[in-house]
Amino acid sequence: MNQASKLFLGCLPWVVITTWLALLFHPATRDATVLWISTNREFNAVEMGTFLGFLIAAIFAGCAASTWAMQVGPKSMQAVTLTLVALSALWLMLEAIFYGQHFIGFTPPDFITGPNRQNELNFHNMPGLHGKAAYLYLIFCIAAVIGSLKQTPGPLSRLYSHNDWRDLRVPSQLYSSITSICFLTAFGLLPKLFEVSDQIGLNVRWTNEITELMIAVAAAGYGLQKLITRPTQH
């Protein structure tokens, strides 16, 4: 990858964040921004982008897992880990579209939708999970940061050899995206850790949608990189 491409990938996440926060916090644009993201909220460009990002991530990671299983072995840590990544992305994709509830037009049973805060088919709006999205983002950030380390962390060294870890490491092209997601996650945790104004709380609420989109795009990028990566000679 040439320097121009690296610079573009490095700057793009921060341009997106800066633009979004400027639109959200500036009095002249805030109302229009909130109206745009809250109207048809589950079918706007951000939500559909999140859905597509996780779908692509699931396909890429699944194909990569299959490739590694054939080349290295189905029980190799590369194949196992990438399969888990693919299944996680698939689950998050289904959560983003309520398991197709609105696309297909089916009515879930009351014992599922009844406790759900939005009366829809998903888990993230169930009691105990609703409003906890920032903690899920934090789990992603921790996993991504650990996955970016050059050496296998001590507790994981029993599972992953040096070559295994090198094959599965988060590529440097995604470092900027991961850093920006960590920033948005910290922003999302503000109302959990401090008393903030109602306005800040609402801004955090809508910014979570952008965080999810960026996680989906980063996951798709990781899946693509692993799909085109050749196994290390063991």
Side-chain angles (χ1 to χ4, degrees), residues 95-112:
E95 280 285 302
I97 59 170
F98 305 105
Y99 298 84
Q101 176 184 348
H102 298 300
F103 290 117
I104 302 174
F106 68 90
T107 303
D110 291 339
F111 74 88
I112 294 178

mmCIF file with all atom_site columns, all heavy atoms in Angstrom, residues 95-112:
data_model
loop_
_atom_site.group_PDB
_atom_site.id
_atom_site.type_symbol
_atom_site.label_atom_id
_atom_site.label_alt_id
_atom_site.label_comp_id
_atom_site.label_asym_id
_atom_site.label_entity_id
_atom_site.label_seq_id
_atom_site.pdbx_PDB_ins_code
_atom_site.Cartn_x
_atom_site.Cartn_y
_atom_site.Cartn_z
_atom_site.occupancy
_atom_site.B_iso_or_equiv
_atom_site.pdbx_formal_charge
_atom_site.auth_seq_id
_atom_site.auth_comp_id
_atom_site.auth_asym_id
_atom_site.auth_atom_id
_atom_site.pdbx_PDB_model_num
ATOM 1   N N   . GLU A 1 95  ? -28.657 -8.610  14.431 1.00 0.00 ? 95  GLU A N   1
ATOM 2   C CA  . GLU A 1 95  ? -29.140 -7.690  15.463 1.00 0.00 ? 95  GLU A CA  1
ATOM 3   C C   . GLU A 1 95  ? -29.471 -6.328  14.847 1.00 0.00 ? 95  GLU A C   1
ATOM 4   O O   . GLU A 1 95  ? -30.447 -5.680  15.235 1.00 0.00 ? 95  GLU A O   1
ATOM 5   C CB  . GLU A 1 95  ? -28.080 -7.518  16.549 1.00 0.00 ? 95  GLU A CB  1
ATOM 6   C CG  . GLU A 1 95  ? -28.021 -8.643  17.556 1.00 0.00 ? 95  GLU A CG  1
ATOM 7   C CD  . GLU A 1 95  ? -29.167 -8.588  18.553 1.00 0.00 ? 95  GLU A CD  1
ATOM 8   O OE1 . GLU A 1 95  ? -29.315 -7.568  19.253 1.00 0.00 ? 95  GLU A OE1 1
ATOM 9   O OE2 . GLU A 1 95  ? -29.921 -9.579  18.639 1.00 0.00 ? 95  GLU A OE2 1
ATOM 10  N N   . ALA A 1 96  ? -28.648 -5.884  13.897 1.00 0.00 ? 96  ALA A N   1
ATOM 11  C CA  . ALA A 1 96  ? -28.833 -4.561  13.299 1.00 0.00 ? 96  ALA A CA  1
ATOM 12  C C   . ALA A 1 96  ? -30.141 -4.456  12.528 1.00 0.00 ? 96  ALA A C   1
ATOM 13  O O   . ALA A 1 96  ? -30.721 -3.369  12.421 1.00 0.00 ? 96  ALA A O   1
ATOM 14  C CB  . ALA A 1 96  ? -27.658 -4.225  12.379 1.00 0.00 ? 96  ALA A CB  1
ATOM 15  N N   . ILE A 1 97  ? -30.620 -5.587  11.993 1.00 0.00 ? 97  ILE A N   1
ATOM 16  C CA  . ILE A 1 97  ? -31.863 -5.552  11.198 1.00 0.00 ? 97  ILE A CA  1
ATOM 17  C C   . ILE A 1 97  ? -32.990 -6.322  11.898 1.00 0.00 ? 97  ILE A C   1
ATOM 18  O O   . ILE A 1 97  ? -33.974 -6.696  11.278 1.00 0.00 ? 97  ILE A O   1
ATOM 19  C CB  . ILE A 1 97  ? -31.644 -6.121  9.780  1.00 0.00 ? 97  ILE A CB  1
ATOM 20  C CG1 . ILE A 1 97  ? -31.149 -7.566  9.844  1.00 0.00 ? 97  ILE A CG1 1
ATOM 21  C CG2 . ILE A 1 97  ? -30.683 -5.247  8.990  1.00 0.00 ? 97  ILE A CG2 1
ATOM 22  C CD1 . ILE A 1 97  ? -31.128 -8.270  8.506  1.00 0.00 ? 97  ILE A CD1 1
ATOM 23  N N   . PHE A 1 98  ? -32.829 -6.550  13.212 1.00 0.00 ? 98  PHE A N   1
ATOM 24  C CA  . PHE A 1 98  ? -33.865 -7.232  13.993 1.00 0.00 ? 98  PHE A CA  1
ATOM 25  C C   . PHE A 1 98  ? -34.243 -8.575  13.377 1.00 0.00 ? 98  PHE A C   1
ATOM 26  O O   . PHE A 1 98  ? -35.411 -8.942  13.312 1.00 0.00 ? 98  PHE A O   1
ATOM 27  C CB  . PHE A 1 98  ? -35.106 -6.340  14.139 1.00 0.00 ? 98  PHE A CB  1
ATOM 28  C CG  . PHE A 1 98  ? -34.787 -4.992  14.716 1.00 0.00 ? 98  PHE A CG  1
ATOM 29  C CD1 . PHE A 1 98  ? -34.765 -3.857  13.914 1.00 0.00 ? 98  PHE A CD1 1
ATOM 30  C CD2 . PHE A 1 98  ? -34.490 -4.854  16.049 1.00 0.00 ? 98  PHE A CD2 1
ATOM 31  C CE1 . PHE A 1 98  ? -34.453 -2.614  14.437 1.00 0.00 ? 98  PHE A CE1 1
ATOM 32  C CE2 . PHE A 1 98  ? -34.178 -3.612  16.587 1.00 0.00 ? 98  PHE A CE2 1
ATOM 33  C CZ  . PHE A 1 98  ? -34.151 -2.496  15.787 1.00 0.00 ? 98  PHE A CZ  1
ATOM 34  N N   . TYR A 1 99  ? -33.204 -9.287  12.901 1.00 0.00 ? 99  TYR A N   1
ATOM 35  C CA  . TYR A 1 99  ? -33.379 -10.618 12.345 1.00 0.00 ? 99  TYR A CA  1
ATOM 36  C C   . TYR A 1 99  ? -34.382 -10.631 11.186 1.00 0.00 ? 99  TYR A C   1
ATOM 37  O O   . TYR A 1 99  ? -35.096 -11.610 10.975 1.00 0.00 ? 99  TYR A O   1
ATOM 38  C CB  . TYR A 1 99  ? -33.785 -11.616 13.436 1.00 0.00 ? 99  TYR A CB  1
ATOM 39  C CG  . TYR A 1 99  ? -32.713 -11.751 14.494 1.00 0.00 ? 99  TYR A CG  1
ATOM 40  C CD1 . TYR A 1 99  ? -32.644 -10.861 15.551 1.00 0.00 ? 99  TYR A CD1 1
ATOM 41  C CD2 . TYR A 1 99  ? -31.737 -12.740 14.396 1.00 0.00 ? 99  TYR A CD2 1
ATOM 42  C CE1 . TYR A 1 99  ? -31.633 -10.941 16.501 1.00 0.00 ? 99  TYR A CE1 1
ATOM 43  C CE2 . TYR A 1 99  ? -30.724 -12.835 15.339 1.00 0.00 ? 99  TYR A CE2 1
ATOM 44  C CZ  . TYR A 1 99  ? -30.680 -11.926 16.387 1.00 0.00 ? 99  TYR A CZ  1
ATOM 45  O OH  . TYR A 1 99  ? -29.667 -12.009 17.326 1.00 0.00 ? 99  TYR A OH  1
ATOM 46  N N   . GLY A 1 100 ? -34.395 -9.517  10.451 1.00 0.00 ? 100 GLY A N   1
ATOM 47  C CA  . GLY A 1 100 ? -35.245 -9.415  9.269  1.00 0.00 ? 100 GLY A CA  1
ATOM 48  C C   . GLY A 1 100 ? -36.692 -9.116  9.561  1.00 0.00 ? 100 GLY A C   1
ATOM 49  O O   . GLY A 1 100 ? -37.533 -9.181  8.655  1.00 0.00 ? 100 GLY A O   1
ATOM 50  N N   . GLN A 1 101 ? -37.003 -8.759  10.804 1.00 0.00 ? 101 GLN A N   1
ATOM 51  C CA  . GLN A 1 101 ? -38.400 -8.532  11.192 1.00 0.00 ? 101 GLN A CA  1
ATOM 52  C C   . GLN A 1 101 ? -39.098 -7.533  10.293 1.00 0.00 ? 101 GLN A C   1
ATOM 53  O O   . GLN A 1 101 ? -40.211 -7.771  9.818  1.00 0.00 ? 101 GLN A O   1
ATOM 54  C CB  . GLN A 1 101 ? -38.459 -8.052  12.646 1.00 0.00 ? 101 GLN A CB  1
ATOM 55  C CG  . GLN A 1 101 ? -39.860 -7.695  13.125 1.00 0.00 ? 101 GLN A CG  1
ATOM 56  C CD  . GLN A 1 101 ? -39.858 -7.144  14.539 1.00 0.00 ? 101 GLN A CD  1
ATOM 57  O OE1 . GLN A 1 101 ? -38.866 -7.227  15.245 1.00 0.00 ? 101 GLN A OE1 1
ATOM 58  N NE2 . GLN A 1 101 ? -40.985 -6.580  14.954 1.00 0.00 ? 101 GLN A NE2 1
ATOM 59  N N   . HIS A 1 102 ? -38.433 -6.392  10.044 1.00 0.00 ? 102 HIS A N   1
ATOM 60  C CA  . HIS A 1 102 ? -39.081 -5.342  9.251  1.00 0.00 ? 102 HIS A CA  1
ATOM 61  C C   . HIS A 1 102 ? -38.998 -5.613  7.751  1.00 0.00 ? 102 HIS A C   1
ATOM 62  O O   . HIS A 1 102 ? -39.825 -5.133  6.979  1.00 0.00 ? 102 HIS A O   1
ATOM 63  C CB  . HIS A 1 102 ? -38.463 -3.988  9.583  1.00 0.00 ? 102 HIS A CB  1
ATOM 64  C CG  . HIS A 1 102 ? -38.647 -3.596  11.020 1.00 0.00 ? 102 HIS A CG  1
ATOM 65  N ND1 . HIS A 1 102 ? -39.889 -3.442  11.589 1.00 0.00 ? 102 HIS A ND1 1
ATOM 66  C CD2 . HIS A 1 102 ? -37.743 -3.336  12.005 1.00 0.00 ? 102 HIS A CD2 1
ATOM 67  C CE1 . HIS A 1 102 ? -39.753 -3.090  12.865 1.00 0.00 ? 102 HIS A CE1 1
ATOM 68  N NE2 . HIS A 1 102 ? -38.467 -3.029  13.134 1.00 0.00 ? 102 HIS A NE2 1
ATOM 69  N N   . PHE A 1 103 ? -37.975 -6.386  7.329  1.00 0.00 ? 103 PHE A N   1
ATOM 70  C CA  . PHE A 1 103 ? -37.853 -6.712  5.914  1.00 0.00 ? 103 PHE A CA  1
ATOM 71  C C   . PHE A 1 103 ? -38.906 -7.732  5.500  1.00 0.00 ? 103 PHE A C   1
ATOM 72  O O   . PHE A 1 103 ? -39.559 -7.605  4.463  1.00 0.00 ? 103 PHE A O   1
ATOM 73  C CB  . PHE A 1 103 ? -36.455 -7.257  5.603  1.00 0.00 ? 103 PHE A CB  1
ATOM 74  C CG  . PHE A 1 103 ? -35.378 -6.224  5.688  1.00 0.00 ? 103 PHE A CG  1
ATOM 75  C CD1 . PHE A 1 103 ? -34.359 -6.341  6.621  1.00 0.00 ? 103 PHE A CD1 1
ATOM 76  C CD2 . PHE A 1 103 ? -35.371 -5.126  4.845  1.00 0.00 ? 103 PHE A CD2 1
ATOM 77  C CE1 . PHE A 1 103 ? -33.357 -5.397  6.708  1.00 0.00 ? 103 PHE A CE1 1
ATOM 78  C CE2 . PHE A 1 103 ? -34.369 -4.165  4.927  1.00 0.00 ? 103 PHE A CE2 1
ATOM 79  C CZ  . PHE A 1 103 ? -33.364 -4.305  5.854  1.00 0.00 ? 103 PHE A CZ  1
ATOM 80  N N   . ILE A 1 104 ? -39.037 -8.766  6.330  1.00 0.00 ? 104 ILE A N   1
ATOM 81  C CA  . ILE A 1 104 ? -39.965 -9.850  5.995  1.00 0.00 ? 104 ILE A CA  1
ATOM 82  C C   . ILE A 1 104 ? -41.391 -9.504  6.414  1.00 0.00 ? 104 ILE A C   1
ATOM 83  O O   . ILE A 1 104 ? -42.361 -9.920  5.787  1.00 0.00 ? 104 ILE A O   1
ATOM 84  C CB  . ILE A 1 104 ? -39.501 -11.155 6.678  1.00 0.00 ? 104 ILE A CB  1
ATOM 85  C CG1 . ILE A 1 104 ? -38.075 -11.501 6.228  1.00 0.00 ? 104 ILE A CG1 1
ATOM 86  C CG2 . ILE A 1 104 ? -40.456 -12.303 6.357  1.00 0.00 ? 104 ILE A CG2 1
ATOM 87  C CD1 . ILE A 1 104 ? -37.470 -12.691 6.948  1.00 0.00 ? 104 ILE A CD1 1
ATOM 88  N N   . GLY A 1 105 ? -41.497 -8.721  7.497  1.00 0.00 ? 105 GLY A N   1
ATOM 89  C CA  . GLY A 1 105 ? -42.813 -8.305  7.960  1.00 0.00 ? 105 GLY A CA  1
ATOM 90  C C   . GLY A 1 105 ? -43.492 -9.294  8.880  1.00 0.00 ? 105 GLY A C   1
ATOM 91  O O   . GLY A 1 105 ? -44.716 -9.303  8.983  1.00 0.00 ? 105 GLY A O   1
ATOM 92  N N   . PHE A 1 106 ? -42.701 -10.148 9.579  1.00 0.00 ? 106 PHE A N   1
ATOM 93  C CA  . PHE A 1 106 ? -43.321 -11.102 10.494 1.00 0.00 ? 106 PHE A CA  1
ATOM 94  C C   . PHE A 1 106 ? -43.451 -10.496 11.893 1.00 0.00 ? 106 PHE A C   1
ATOM 95  O O   . PHE A 1 106 ? -42.747 -9.547  12.242 1.00 0.00 ? 106 PHE A O   1
ATOM 96  C CB  . PHE A 1 106 ? -42.527 -12.405 10.546 1.00 0.00 ? 106 PHE A CB  1
ATOM 97  C CG  . PHE A 1 106 ? -41.170 -12.281 11.190 1.00 0.00 ? 106 PHE A CG  1
ATOM 98  C CD1 . PHE A 1 106 ? -41.010 -12.468 12.560 1.00 0.00 ? 106 PHE A CD1 1
ATOM 99  C CD2 . PHE A 1 106 ? -40.042 -11.999 10.424 1.00 0.00 ? 106 PHE A CD2 1
ATOM 100 C CE1 . PHE A 1 106 ? -39.761 -12.368 13.149 1.00 0.00 ? 106 PHE A CE1 1
ATOM 101 C CE2 . PHE A 1 106 ? -38.791 -11.889 11.007 1.00 0.00 ? 106 PHE A CE2 1
ATOM 102 C CZ  . PHE A 1 106 ? -38.646 -12.083 12.377 1.00 0.00 ? 106 PHE A CZ  1
ATOM 103 N N   . THR A 1 107 ? -44.342 -11.047 12.669 1.00 0.00 ? 107 THR A N   1
ATOM 104 C CA  . THR A 1 107 ? -44.579 -10.583 14.035 1.00 0.00 ? 107 THR A CA  1
ATOM 105 C C   . THR A 1 107 ? -44.001 -11.596 15.021 1.00 0.00 ? 107 THR A C   1
ATOM 106 O O   . THR A 1 107 ? -44.499 -12.731 15.095 1.00 0.00 ? 107 THR A O   1
ATOM 107 C CB  . THR A 1 107 ? -46.077 -10.397 14.311 1.00 0.00 ? 107 THR A CB  1
ATOM 108 O OG1 . THR A 1 107 ? -46.613 -9.475  13.363 1.00 0.00 ? 107 THR A OG1 1
ATOM 109 C CG2 . THR A 1 107 ? -46.307 -9.874  15.721 1.00 0.00 ? 107 THR A CG2 1
ATOM 110 N N   . PRO A 1 108 ? -42.973 -11.225 15.770 1.00 0.00 ? 108 PRO A N   1
ATOM 111 C CA  . PRO A 1 108 ? -42.387 -12.160 16.734 1.00 0.00 ? 108 PRO A CA  1
ATOM 112 C C   . PRO A 1 108 ? -43.368 -12.442 17.871 1.00 0.00 ? 108 PRO A C   1
ATOM 113 O O   . PRO A 1 108 ? -44.272 -11.639 18.134 1.00 0.00 ? 108 PRO A O   1
ATOM 114 C CB  . PRO A 1 108 ? -41.156 -11.410 17.255 1.00 0.00 ? 108 PRO A CB  1
ATOM 115 C CG  . PRO A 1 108 ? -40.915 -10.316 16.272 1.00 0.00 ? 108 PRO A CG  1
ATOM 116 C CD  . PRO A 1 108 ? -42.247 -9.953  15.720 1.00 0.00 ? 108 PRO A CD  1
ATOM 117 N N   . PRO A 1 109 ? -43.203 -13.555 18.570 1.00 0.00 ? 109 PRO A N   1
ATOM 118 C CA  . PRO A 1 109 ? -44.092 -13.871 19.696 1.00 0.00 ? 109 PRO A CA  1
ATOM 119 C C   . PRO A 1 109 ? -43.961 -12.846 20.822 1.00 0.00 ? 109 PRO A C   1
ATOM 120 O O   . PRO A 1 109 ? -42.910 -12.244 21.006 1.00 0.00 ? 109 PRO A O   1
ATOM 121 C CB  . PRO A 1 109 ? -43.623 -15.263 20.133 1.00 0.00 ? 109 PRO A CB  1
ATOM 122 C CG  . PRO A 1 109 ? -42.256 -15.432 19.559 1.00 0.00 ? 109 PRO A CG  1
ATOM 123 C CD  . PRO A 1 109 ? -42.220 -14.621 18.308 1.00 0.00 ? 109 PRO A CD  1
ATOM 124 N N   . ASP A 1 110 ? -45.029 -12.689 21.578 1.00 0.00 ? 110 ASP A N   1
ATOM 125 C CA  . ASP A 1 110 ? -45.066 -11.690 22.633 1.00 0.00 ? 110 ASP A CA  1
ATOM 126 C C   . ASP A 1 110 ? -44.034 -11.928 23.724 1.00 0.00 ? 110 ASP A C   1
ATOM 127 O O   . ASP A 1 110 ? -43.546 -10.970 24.339 1.00 0.00 ? 110 ASP A O   1
ATOM 128 C CB  . ASP A 1 110 ? -46.465 -11.636 23.269 1.00 0.00 ? 110 ASP A CB  1
ATOM 129 C CG  . ASP A 1 110 ? -47.508 -11.060 22.317 1.00 0.00 ? 110 ASP A CG  1
ATOM 130 O OD1 . ASP A 1 110 ? -47.097 -10.353 21.375 1.00 0.00 ? 110 ASP A OD1 1
ATOM 131 O OD2 . ASP A 1 110 ? -48.712 -11.308 22.520 1.00 0.00 ? 110 ASP A OD2 1
ATOM 132 N N   . PHE A 1 111 ? -43.683 -13.181 23.978 1.00 0.00 ? 111 PHE A N   1
ATOM 133 C CA  . PHE A 1 111 ? -42.730 -13.430 25.062 1.00 0.00 ? 111 PHE A CA  1
ATOM 134 C C   . PHE A 1 111 ? -41.331 -12.906 24.713 1.00 0.00 ? 111 PHE A C   1
ATOM 135 O O   . PHE A 1 111 ? -40.481 -12.753 25.587 1.00 0.00 ? 111 PHE A O   1
ATOM 136 C CB  . PHE A 1 111 ? -42.676 -14.921 25.409 1.00 0.00 ? 111 PHE A CB  1
ATOM 137 C CG  . PHE A 1 111 ? -41.950 -15.784 24.409 1.00 0.00 ? 111 PHE A CG  1
ATOM 138 C CD1 . PHE A 1 111 ? -40.585 -15.986 24.494 1.00 0.00 ? 111 PHE A CD1 1
ATOM 139 C CD2 . PHE A 1 111 ? -42.649 -16.408 23.381 1.00 0.00 ? 111 PHE A CD2 1
ATOM 140 C CE1 . PHE A 1 111 ? -39.919 -16.786 23.574 1.00 0.00 ? 111 PHE A CE1 1
ATOM 141 C CE2 . PHE A 1 111 ? -41.998 -17.211 22.458 1.00 0.00 ? 111 PHE A CE2 1
ATOM 142 C CZ  . PHE A 1 111 ? -40.623 -17.402 22.553 1.00 0.00 ? 111 PHE A CZ  1
ATOM 143 N N   . ILE A 1 112 ? -41.104 -12.622 23.418 1.00 0.00 ? 112 ILE A N   1
ATOM 144 C CA  . ILE A 1 112 ? -39.831 -12.015 23.001 1.00 0.00 ? 112 ILE A CA  1
ATOM 145 C C   . ILE A 1 112 ? -39.960 -10.502 22.933 1.00 0.00 ? 112 ILE A C   1
ATOM 146 O O   . ILE A 1 112 ? -39.122 -9.772  23.472 1.00 0.00 ? 112 ILE A O   1
ATOM 147 C CB  . ILE A 1 112 ? -39.382 -12.570 21.632 1.00 0.00 ? 112 ILE A CB  1
ATOM 148 C CG1 . ILE A 1 112 ? -39.054 -14.062 21.749 1.00 0.00 ? 112 ILE A CG1 1
ATOM 149 C CG2 . ILE A 1 112 ? -38.161 -11.801 21.118 1.00 0.00 ? 112 ILE A CG2 1
ATOM 150 C CD1 . ILE A 1 112 ? -38.651 -14.690 20.439 1.00 0.00 ? 112 ILE A CD1 1
#
